Amino acid sequence: DSAVADWWLQTRVAIPETFRRGFDSLVLLVSWAIWKERNKRTFDHDAKTTVQILALVREEEDSCIAAGFRSLASLLAVAN
C-alpha cells in the first residue's frame, strides 16, 4: 500500500532539510517496531500495549543514538 509512502514523502517535504535524515530514521524505527509487533501477535500470540511498543521505540532510539545516528539525536533534541 502506498498510503504510508505517500504520507512519508509529503511530510518529509515540510521538515527542515537539516532534520530530514533524523525524520527518516524515526519513521523507519517506528515502522520496524510495528512490523515486529505484528509478527509477534501473528506467530507468537503475544501482544504488547501501545505504551509498551512506544517504550521499545524509545529504547531503539537510544541505541541508534549511542551507535552514532547524529541526525536522529538532533531531531529528538529539538522535539524534546
Side-chain angles (χ1 to χ4, degrees), residues 13 22 40 42 71 77:
V13 172
K40 286 180 183 178
T42 301
S71 58

Side-chain angles (χ1 to χ4, degrees), residues 26-75:
L26 184 59
V27 169
L28 290 172
L29 279 174
V30 171
S31 299
W32 181 242
I34 292 169
W35 179 260
K36 290 191 307 186
E37 177 61 18
R38 175 228 174 250
N39 285 345
K40 286 180 183 178
R41 288 177 184 214
T42 301
F43 301 115
D44 299 337
H45 306 290
D46 179 31
K48 293 190 177 357
T49 66
T50 303
V51 173
Q52 290 171 319
I53 296 168
L54 288 174
L56 291 173
V57 169
R58 289 187 185 110
E59 288 176 19
E60 286 290 326
E61 289 171 351
D62 292 341
S63 295
C64 289
I65 291 168
F69 282 66
R70 291 174 295 190
S71 58
L72 183 59
S74 299
L75 177 70

Side-chain angles (χ1 to χ4, degrees), residues 2-34:
S2 64
V4 173
D6 290 341
W7 169 84
W8 186 357
L9 293 173
Q10 289 172 0
T11 304
R12 189 177 194 276
V13 172
I15 304 289
E17 193 170 332
T18 55
F19 297 117
R20 285 184 188 161
R21 289 183 66 174
F23 175 74
D24 292 344
S25 296
L26 184 59
V27 169
L28 290 172
L29 279 174
V30 171
S31 299
W32 181 242
I34 292 169

